[in-house]
Amino acid sequence: MFDGLNIRYKYMFSEYMLYYKDKVIGGIFDNQLLLKPTKSVLKYLNEPTFLLPFKGAKNEMVLFDKEDKELLSMIVIAMVDELPNPKKKLKNSKNCISN
């Protein structure tokens, strides 16, 4: 699907989240590829279709035709700099205030 890019995926909520350079770029939801709606994604698509990836989702994503591998790879490379850096995880979960 992605021409030579090192895309990782993680199974979550019965769907797959997609990561590039440790940033969430979108996911596979109901067998549809949805990408985060960054400026780069919207620039490449003439008439984007916005969908909620799952019930209760906060943000819409853009439906993308996964058959165009070359265009998809160009978009992912362009969009990664527009995405926020991942949140750092706490190493120790004992951050409780005790009396």
Side-chain angles (χ1 to χ4, degrees):
M1 183 182 316
F2 299 93
D3 260 353
L5 295 180
N6 188 18
I7 302 293
R8 293 185 310 107
Y9 64 90
K10 186 174 183 180
Y11 185 73
M12 296 175 66
F13 311 112
S14 301
E15 307 292 350
Y16 293 91
M17 297 301 296
L18 300 174
Y19 298 83
Y20 179 61
K21 295 187 176 182
D22 294 324
K23 296 180 179 183
V24 176
I25 59 168
I28 307 288
F29 302 92
D30 294 326
N31 292 323
Q32 296 178 316
L33 174 60
L34 300 180
L35 298 176
K36 292 218 171 195
T38 65
K39 289 180 184 177
S40 296
V41 171
L42 299 176
K43 180 176 86 173
Y44 283 100
L45 302 176
N46 293 331
E47 296 179 24
T49 300
F50 292 90
L51 300 171
L52 286 173
F54 52 89
K55 189 175 183 176
K58 293 180 184 178
N59 300 313
E60 292 182 316
M61 293 185 166
V62 178
L63 179 63
F64 190 84
D65 176 17
K66 55 186 173 248
E67 300 303 318
D68 193 342
K69 295 177 184 179
E70 186 177 324
L71 177 61
L72 182 56
S73 296
M74 288 186 337
I75 289 173
V76 168
I77 291 168
M79 74 185 290
V80 74
D81 290 333
E82 297 174 41
L83 296 170
N85 289 321
K87 294 178 183 177
K88 297 190 181 205
K89 295 181 182 178
L90 298 174
K91 291 182 181 180
N92 188 352
S93 62
K94 296 179 182 178
N95 293 329
C96 299
I97 298 173
S98 59
N99 292 332

